[in-house]
Amino acid sequence: MAANPSFDIVSKVDRQEVDNAFNQAEKELSTRFDFRGTGTVVAKSGEAFTITSETEERAVAALDVFKEKLVKRNISLKSLDAGEPRQSGKTYKIDLKVVEGIESEKAKAISKKIRDEGPKGVQPQIQGDQLRVTGKKRDDLQVVIALLKQEDFGVALQFTNYR
């Protein structure tokens, strides 16, 4: 008989979709009337983004535009780590980071939830920045997925490698 059924719990982001959202936000900020003359810019450096504006309100509004574009491209806002607006000289900046992977504290919380409330015979294993869940029956794994979808762990979860 084959190995027990299993699936992986991961937190990944489609980088191409993030780039598309960035480009759309950049274009919208350059064409919208309420952003003209405010020096509002979204910049990308490596994997990080920075929003710069002359006023704090415009910087926050630009962040909302960027978030809106991410949501339209099916990127969870849980995977966006936005800092607080900070003053840098005469401008305000907001640093943004796209977070991938499940950090160990959250992985432990997810694992504990599965052990405490999941069906018997289902075993979670932490493997780096993801979890693998194995069980005797596929139905038990479906129950675990439903259980985790109800809970908010502060991280965008995807369920992959279901076999």
Side-chain angles (χ1 to χ4, degrees), residues 85-143:
R86 59 180 167 75
Q87 193 163 4
S88 174
K90 291 185 178 181
T91 61
Y92 286 87
K93 290 186 176 185
I94 300 176
D95 295 322
L96 307 168
K97 211 170 45 180
V98 177
V99 181
E100 286 191 298
I102 303 171
E103 52 189 59
S104 64
E105 290 301 314
K106 293 187 181 182
K108 288 177 185 173
I110 293 169
S111 181
K112 181 172 175 17
K113 177 83 171 175
I114 293 170
R115 279 193 311 272
D116 291 349
E117 298 181 28
K120 300 295 175 220
V122 174
Q123 295 176 327
Q125 257 183 327
I126 299 173
Q127 297 178 334
D129 62 352
Q130 68 181 26
L131 278 91
R132 169 151 299 158
V133 180
T134 56
K136 300 258 185 244
K137 295 186 257 170
R138 286 177 170 253
D139 291 345
D140 291 346
L141 299 181
Q142 293 287 350
V143 169

Side-chain angles (χ1 to χ4, degrees), residues 13 18 49 63 66-67 70 75-83 95-99 156:
V13 175
V18 173
F49 300 94
L63 175 61
F66 188 55
K67 284 181 177 178
L70 287 172
I75 304 291
S76 173
L77 292 181
K78 291 178 184 176
S79 54
L80 181 70
D81 183 18
D95 295 322
L96 307 168
K97 211 170 45 180
V98 177
V99 181

Side-chain angles (χ1 to χ4, degrees), residues 33-93:
F33 177 77
D34 55 336
F35 286 107
R36 284 209 184 115
T38 61
T40 305
V41 188
V42 179
K44 181 180 180 185
S45 60
E47 299 295 315
F49 300 94
T50 305
I51 296 175
T52 309
S53 185
E54 292 174 1
T55 65
E56 185 176 354
E57 293 78 27
R58 287 292 99 201
V60 172
L63 175 61
D64 289 342
V65 168
F66 188 55
K67 284 181 177 178
E68 176 186 313
K69 299 302 177 192
L70 287 172
V71 168
K72 282 187 179 176
R73 296 223 156 250
N74 293 325
I75 304 291
S76 173
L77 292 181
K78 291 178 184 176
S79 54
L80 181 70
D81 183 18
E84 291 297 313
R86 59 180 167 75
Q87 193 163 4
S88 174
K90 291 185 178 181
T91 61
Y92 286 87
K93 290 186 176 185

